[in-house]
């Protein structure tokens, strides 16, 4: 028997039709499965306390993702890196293996967490033990869906994640506040183990988010408004990926090449990068080398895995196209083909003798779990299953850009106190691309609750408006809602007061494309996209009224120990990403600044108002013209809205170089570039 650690996930005997337990959304777990949530907090707390030398400890498993760049479970590297002279890690970012590699990685973490949960359940007093042991049996780690509209009254980054303490029932049976293991991981016994981290990261005794530049203190309160501010763009990006991308290579990872279709600059990895950026803010989540130490990493990546599982169900016949490996690893030499059979090191399979491959991890049930949307065993046919998934996508991320816009604008939770709110918070509560003021004055914000429906239920949405205008759309009275308080009513394919913008249920979708050299600045950076005036202070841009969205580039420094990243630097690897513009254009139509979504109206409007800026993850601005390889462009495509409200993309994309021509990093006319 091999001494290697076999990655099994949670051994599971499937039920009727192949049923397996579900990984649930964090807020759903907390609200509807409180015993499992209680065990989750206690189990995670227990796992984080395991000594750093234990290969199944939180510290060791997190360290697989980057620092301390030490071989895990005997899986080293046989390549001498030109600059590091030693082990180069297991990085598969900007690689065809990005999504498959993270699936057994999550399974390894889940099996350690599951074992910890089982141990904790046994510690409860006799009068509670049976209840918690039963709850522990089907425990699976949760995900956090950062792209759906938050439940009514909830923050985009709830206290469950942002608060240093959390109240639970402890193993002594008493309800008490404890240190919140979802908020941060504290390194122990030293910070971190001697020599494991670089000087810039060893200053922190625990993981941080948006650290103060002087004190290094974590500023978790900044995460929620920044997540909220670009929600419409994020939702549109996720919907675009799930509804229009049909090839695995285009969907899964962000490497760009000159043959990239202008309609597939986005990817699951691109959206994944954005969340690393928006939750990290220069802290641990911002840097791939240390991101896995932040407890939010696991909730984030479980959601990434979930989005891949949803996409797989909709596109079951599309998978990896063999590609030449751009780098060498323990088992692959640079130039060799990477295929669905390439080893996913360092993850030993159930035998402990060979490594998992992408082909073997295609089905999440292999590791004993499914997601709420992927309960295939509940459906008699594939068509019925896929129809249900599309309906779930519509409910969570909007049937189409119009319903997405209506929900994002009209269904925001009421701000705690608009009268005393900062400008940024007041702006955040309006929309992902709120109204613009050319005179530099802040608009007056009012929040008025929608009247309860005929059944006297409490209001589930709030109508948010400025004194000079009303929102385009709001939830229909008496509408049905899902567990998150989302409006599931069907008032037609398009909200009635937006239908004139899609004559014959057809409209033009607009997308901002970005490509850049991944490691060109020697660190992570972002391209922020604006439609309208920009505050001159870069510190305000994350909450800027006119900020539409971002493309986040997780670059690394020249002295990184990541072997793949060193190779990527030498080859000047290019990556790409997208920012959907249509929701922002709808906001401008609402304000009377734009007449329609037709090219004859939109092209000159974007030419005059579209802007972009580059900042490092620390917030420092960089000259756009000096970012290596940076090119930005705008493309459009025709979309039809079906009777069910779902979009049908034409697949034909038109690039409009005249929009960015003559501006820093813009396309040149008549070059044929995409």
């Amino acid at each position: 028997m091999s001494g290697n650690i076999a990655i099994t996930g949670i051994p599971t005997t499937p039920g009727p039709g192949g049923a397996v337990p579900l990984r649930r959304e964090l807020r759903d777990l907390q609200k509807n499965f409180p015993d499992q949530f209680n065990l989750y907090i206690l189990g995670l707390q227990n796992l984080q306390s395991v000594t750093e030398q234990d290969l199944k400890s939180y510290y060791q498993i997190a360290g697989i993702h980057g620092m301390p760049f030490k071989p895990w479970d005997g899986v080293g590297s046989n390549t001498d890196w030109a600059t590091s002279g030693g082990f180069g890690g297991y990085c598969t970012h900007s690689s065809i293996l990005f999504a498959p590699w993270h699936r057994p990685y999550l399974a390894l973490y889940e099996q350690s967490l599951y074992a910890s949960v089982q141990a904790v359940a046994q510690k409860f007093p006799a009068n509670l033990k049976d209840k918690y042991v039963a709850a522990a049996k089907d425990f699976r780690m949760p995900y956090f869906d950062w792209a759906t509209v938050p439940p009514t009254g909830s923050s985009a980054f709830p206290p469950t994640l942002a608060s240093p303490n959390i109240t639970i029932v402890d193993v002594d049976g008493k309800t008490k506040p404890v240190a919140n293991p979802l908020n941060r991981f504290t390194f122990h016994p030293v910070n971190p183990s001697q020599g494991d981290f670089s000087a810039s990261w060893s200053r922190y005794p625990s993981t941080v988010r948006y650290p103060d530049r002087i004190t290094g203190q974590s500023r978790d309160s900044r995460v929620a408004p920044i997540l909220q501010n670009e929600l419409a763009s994020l939702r549109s990006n996720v919907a675009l990926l799930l509804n229009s991308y049909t090839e695995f290579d285009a969907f899964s990872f962000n490497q760009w090449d000159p043959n990239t279709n202008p309609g597939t600059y986005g990817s699951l990895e691109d959206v994944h990068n954005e969340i690393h950026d928006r939750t990290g803010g220069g802290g641990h989540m911002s840097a791939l080398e240390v991101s896995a130490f932040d407890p939010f990493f696991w909730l984030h990546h479980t959601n990434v895995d979930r989005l891949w599982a949803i996409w797989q169900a909709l596109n079951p016949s599309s998978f990896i196209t063999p590609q030449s490996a751009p780098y060498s690893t323990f088992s692959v030499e640079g130039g060799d083909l990477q295929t669905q059979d390439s080893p996913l090191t360092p993850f030993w399979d159930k035998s402990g003798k060979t490594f998992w491959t992408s082909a073997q991890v295609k089905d999440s049930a292999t590791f004993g779990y499914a997601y709420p949307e992927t309960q295939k065993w509940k459906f008699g046919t594939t068509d019925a299953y896929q129809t249900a998934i599309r309906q779930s996508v519509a409910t969570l991320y909007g049937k189409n850009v119009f319903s997405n816009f209506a929900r994002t604008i009209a269904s925001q939770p009421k701000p705690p106190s608009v009268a005393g709110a900062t400008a940024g918070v007041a702006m955040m509560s309006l929309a992902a691309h709120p109204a613009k003021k050319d005179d530099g004055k802040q608009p007056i914000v009012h929040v008025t609750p929608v009247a309860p429906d005929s059944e006297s239920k409490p209001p589930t949405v709030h109508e948010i408006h400025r004194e000079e205008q009303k929102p385009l759309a709001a939830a229909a009275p008496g509408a049905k809602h899902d567990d998150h308080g989302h409006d599931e009513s069907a008032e037609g394919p398009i909200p009635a007061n937006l239908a004139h913008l899609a004559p014959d249920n057809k409209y033009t979708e607009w997308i901002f494309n970005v490509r850049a050299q991944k490691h060109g600045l020697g660190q992570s950076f972002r391209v922020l996209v604006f439609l309208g005036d920009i505050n001159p202070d870069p510190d305000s841009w994350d909450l800027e009224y006119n900020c539409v969205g971002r493309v986040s580039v997780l670059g690394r420094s020249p002295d990184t120990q990541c072997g793949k990243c060193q190779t990527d630097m030498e080859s000047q690897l290019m990556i790409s990403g997208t920012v959907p513009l249509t929701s922002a254009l709808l906001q401008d139509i609402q304000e009377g600044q734009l007449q329609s979504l037709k090219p004859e109206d939109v092209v000159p409007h974007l030419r005059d108002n579209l802007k972009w800026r580059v900042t490092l993850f620390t917030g420092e601005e960089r000259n756009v013209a000096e970012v290596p390889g940076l090119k930005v462009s705008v493309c459009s495509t025709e979309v039809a809205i079906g009777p069910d409200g779902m979009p049908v993309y034409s697949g034909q994309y038109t690039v409009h170089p005249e929009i960015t021509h003559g501006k820093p990093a813009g396309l040149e006319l008549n070059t044929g570039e995409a």
Side-chain angles (χ1 to χ4, degrees):
M1 182 70 180
S2 169
N4 300 321
I5 296 175
I7 286 80
T8 61
I10 300 174
T12 304
T13 300
V20 292
L22 303 183
R23 290 178 177 174
R24 301 184 185 278
E25 213 277 340
L26 177 68
R27 291 160 290 195
D28 177 38
L29 187 73
Q30 184 174 14
K31 177 182 177 182
N32 298 313
F33 302 88
D35 293 341
Q36 285 194 347
F37 179 80
N38 199 83
L39 288 169
Y40 173 48
I41 297 300
L42 290 172
L44 180 56
Q45 198 176 52
N46 182 56
L47 179 62
Q48 290 180 355
S49 71
V50 175
T51 176
E52 294 174 356
Q53 284 69 44
D54 188 326
L55 286 177
K56 296 182 182 179
S57 68
Y58 185 95
Y59 183 87
Q60 284 280 342
I61 294 173
I64 293 171
H65 204 256
M67 290 182 183
F69 287 104
K70 293 179 179 178
W72 183 82
D73 198 20
V75 185
S77 170
N78 59 3
T79 303
D80 290 328
W81 301 105
T83 55
S84 67
F87 175 65
Y90 308 108
C91 178
T92 57
H93 298 92
S94 301
S95 156
I96 196 70
L97 303 181
F98 166 72
W101 184 88
H102 282 84
R103 182 161 283 174
Y105 186 31
L106 291 170
L108 168 63
Y109 172 78
E110 186 169 44
Q111 73 188 57
S112 286
L113 178 60
Y114 181 81
S116 183
V117 164
Q118 304 309 303
V120 165
Q122 295 291 335
K123 295 181 180 180
F124 279 88
N127 64 324
L128 295 174
K129 184 175 179 180
D130 288 349
K131 180 176 77 163
Y132 282 108
V133 167
K137 182 180 178 181
D138 287 337
F139 172 83
R140 297 294 185 271
M141 67 182 181
Y143 62 92
F144 183 78
D145 188 356
W146 25 254
T148 192
V149 174
T152 301
S154 173
S155 166
F157 200 71
T160 307
L161 299 169
S163 298
N165 298 304
I166 190 168
T167 299
I168 49 89
V169 179
D170 207 345
V171 293
D172 59 5
K174 297 179 180 179
T175 300
K176 64 180 73 168
V178 298
N180 185 2
L182 292 174
N183 179 246
R184 65 194 59 183
F185 170 64
T186 299
F187 297 97
H188 60 88
V190 290
N191 169 38
S193 294
Q194 190 65 34
D196 277 5
F197 279 36
S198 63
S200 60
W201 290 110
S202 22
R203 66 178 291 210
Y204 297 109
S206 63
T207 56
V208 292
R209 302 163 186 156
Y210 287 88
D212 182 275
R213 296 182 190 178
I214 298 175
T215 67
Q217 291 297 307
S218 187
R219 297 181 294 170
D220 295 75
S221 62
R222 290 182 59 86
V223 180
I226 289 170
L227 279 175
Q228 186 70 60
N229 196 49
E230 300 163 35
L231 180 59
S233 172
L234 179 61
R235 282 165 55 80
S236 293
N237 232 345
V238 169
L240 191 70
L241 287 168
L242 296 177
N243 291 326
S244 74
Y245 283 53
T246 58
E247 297 298 326
F248 176 83
D249 296 2
F251 167 82
S252 63
F253 72 114
N254 68 353
Q255 183 176 337
W256 179 87
D257 69 56
N259 297 316
T260 299
N261 183 306
T264 58
Y265 269 54
S267 65
L268 181 64
E269 185 175 11
D270 170 40
V271 174
H272 146 275
N273 289 354
E274 181 181 338
I275 300 303
H276 272 278
D277 174 12
R278 290 166 70 190
T279 58
H284 287 75
M285 274 293 287
S286 301
L288 292 177
E289 294 101 322
V290 294
S291 59
F293 291 97
D294 187 323
F296 183 69
F297 172 94
W298 305 100
L299 291 157
H300 166 46
H301 264 278
T302 306
N303 194 45
V304 171
D305 182 76
R306 166 181 162 267
L307 293 175
W308 178 34
I310 290 172
W311 185 90
Q312 285 180 290
L314 295 173
N315 302 274
S317 62
S318 182
F319 201 42
I320 291 174
T321 301
Q323 295 193 5
S324 177
Y327 59 97
S328 297
T329 68
F330 173 71
S331 52
V332 177
E333 294 293 333
D336 288 352
L337 278 183
Q338 284 185 325
T339 72
Q340 65 177 7
D341 299 316
S342 296
L344 301 175
T345 55
F347 307 122
W348 300 102
D349 66 12
K350 293 179 180 180
S351 72
K353 298 178 180 178
T354 58
F355 298 110
W356 286 105
T357 68
S358 299
Q360 294 171 327
V361 303
K362 285 178 69 175
D363 187 352
S364 71
T366 300
F367 295 114
Y369 70 90
Y371 294 103
E373 300 83 6
T374 62
Q375 300 177 68
K376 186 176 182 179
W377 58 88
K378 288 189 172 184
F379 302 92
T381 66
T382 298
D383 285 347
Y385 176 44
Q386 292 181 333
T387 297
I389 288 180
R390 290 189 179 94
Q391 290 172 346
S392 294
V393 170
T395 297
L396 292 168
Y397 311 118
K399 288 182 179 179
N400 52 64
V401 70
F402 301 101
S403 62
N404 178 13
F405 176 74
R407 177 179 291 175
T408 307
I409 294 295
S411 300
Q412 297 299 332
K414 180 179 179 179
S417 174
V418 174
T422 64
V425 173
M427 293 176 193
M428 172 275 294
S429 68
L430 283 169
H433 168 59
K436 298 183 282 291
K437 299 292 285 185
D438 295 332
D439 58 7
K441 298 178 182 178
Q442 300 295 347
I444 299 173
V445 180
H446 301 285
V447 180
T448 307
V450 174
D453 62 26
S454 58
E455 296 180 6
S456 299
K457 296 177 182 178
T460 57
V461 296
H462 292 81
E463 181 183 12
I464 302 172
H465 62 87
R466 294 188 305 263
E467 61 182 2
E468 66 266 329
Q469 68 180 43
K470 295 181 179 179
L472 277 178
K480 296 180 181 179
H481 296 81
D482 64 12
D483 289 340
H484 293 292
H486 297 153
D487 179 13
E488 292 181 343
S489 62
E491 58 174 22
I494 302 173
N497 48 1
L498 300 177
H500 67 284
L501 298 174
D504 299 321
N505 284 347
K506 295 180 181 179
Y507 75 97
T508 305
E509 181 88 29
W510 296 87
I511 301 168
F512 185 85
N513 282 338
V514 174
R515 66 179 190 264
Q517 204 178 114
K518 181 174 181 177
H519 304 288
L521 292 182
Q523 57 188 303
S524 295
F525 63 96
R526 62 179 73 90
V527 180
L528 290 164
V529 182
F530 303 85
L531 194 52
D533 295 335
I534 306 175
N535 188 313
D537 180 11
D539 284 341
S540 74
W541 288 350
D542 280 328
L543 290 173
E544 176 62 44
Y545 230 34
N546 296 332
C547 185
V548 178
R550 70 183 66 195
V551 171
S552 303
V553 184
L554 302 184
R556 299 194 184 184
S557 64
D559 62 353
T560 179
Q561 292 175 262
C562 173
K564 177 184 183 300
C565 301
Q566 293 281 358
T567 304
D568 289 346
M569 287 180 202
E570 295 171 6
S571 64
Q572 299 184 343
L573 177 81
M574 298 287 288
I575 58 90
S576 65
T578 59
V579 176
L581 298 174
T582 311
S583 288
L585 294 170
L586 288 174
Q587 185 77 24
D588 283 356
I589 291 172
Q590 171 176 306
E591 297 165 18
Q593 299 181 22
L594 179 65
Q595 296 303 308
S596 76
L597 294 174
K598 296 177 181 179
E600 57 265 32
D601 292 324
V602 172
V603 169
H605 183 72
L606 291 178
R607 174 69 188 171
D608 292 342
N609 295 287
L610 188 65
K611 302 177 178 68
W612 48 95
R613 297 289 186 270
V614 172
T615 64
L616 306 178
F617 277 15
T618 58
E620 177 187 345
E621 184 180 7
R622 284 298 171 93
N623 189 328
V624 171
E626 296 176 358
V627 179
L630 180 62
K631 281 290 181 183
V632 301
S633 59
V634 175
C635 70
S636 66
T637 187
E638 297 306 308
V639 182
I641 304 297
D644 60 354
M646 297 300 291
V648 180
Y649 292 85
S650 68
Q652 302 298 314
Y653 290 82
T654 301
V655 179
H656 302 273
E658 66 273 25
I659 293 174
T660 61
H661 168 69
K663 300 178 182 180
L667 288 187
E668 298 300 320
L669 294 174
N670 303 317
T671 62
E673 286 189 286

